[in-house]
Amino acid sequence: MADILPTELRLDIVTPDRLVAHDSVTSVTIPGKTGYLGILPGHAPLLTEIAPGELEYTSSGAKHTLAVNWGFAEVLPDRVIVLAQSAERAEESMWGARRKPRPAPRSA
């Protein structure tokens, strides 16, 4: 009987301080040392160093973005584990706050 590929990935994003994410996802984009890696369920196993950048994942049809610093990622066909020096959701980050639109200047 042929192996059936998984339809989702279990994503764990961990820093020394906390568990940032523990979710079932359909895709993950990781900032690798030599470029971004797109991960889908059934991906070949690998270990990679991550570089500072934006980690994106899709869960229940919603796209989520985190700013991550240096670390490592382990990819398995049904699981992705990210061990990062630091990771913040866009809404928690000062960079996310800077992306909010500024009010239009008032004319005198």
Side-chain angles (χ1 to χ4, degrees):
M1 180 176 207
D3 290 335
I4 298 180
L5 292 176
T7 58
E8 290 188 329
L9 295 161
R10 172 57 62 191
L11 174 65
D12 292 312
I13 302 172
V14 182
T15 69
D17 301 326
R18 65 189 176 126
L19 176 65
V20 178
H22 177 74
D23 209 349
S24 218
V25 303
T26 54
S27 67
V28 183
T29 303
I30 300 171
K33 197 69 170 167
T34 58
Y36 279 81
L37 293 93
I39 310 295
L40 297 172
H43 196 285
L46 67 89
L47 289 171
T48 187
E49 185 176 353
I50 60 172
E54 290 186 355
L55 182 147
E56 296 180 348
Y57 66 93
T58 304
S59 175
S60 301
K63 193 173 199 178
H64 304 275
T65 303
L66 291 92
V68 294
N69 203 343
W70 178 88
F72 294 96
E74 177 184 23
V75 176
L76 300 170
D78 62 345
R79 186 172 186 154
V80 175
I81 302 167
V82 175
L83 305 174
Q85 183 177 7
S86 65
E88 294 181 324
R89 296 185 184 280
E91 57 271 11
E92 298 172 343
S93 166
M94 68 178 195
W95 300 110
R98 290 183 182 180
R99 289 185 182 164
K100 292 179 184 174
R102 294 183 183 180
R106 290 190 257 156
S107 56

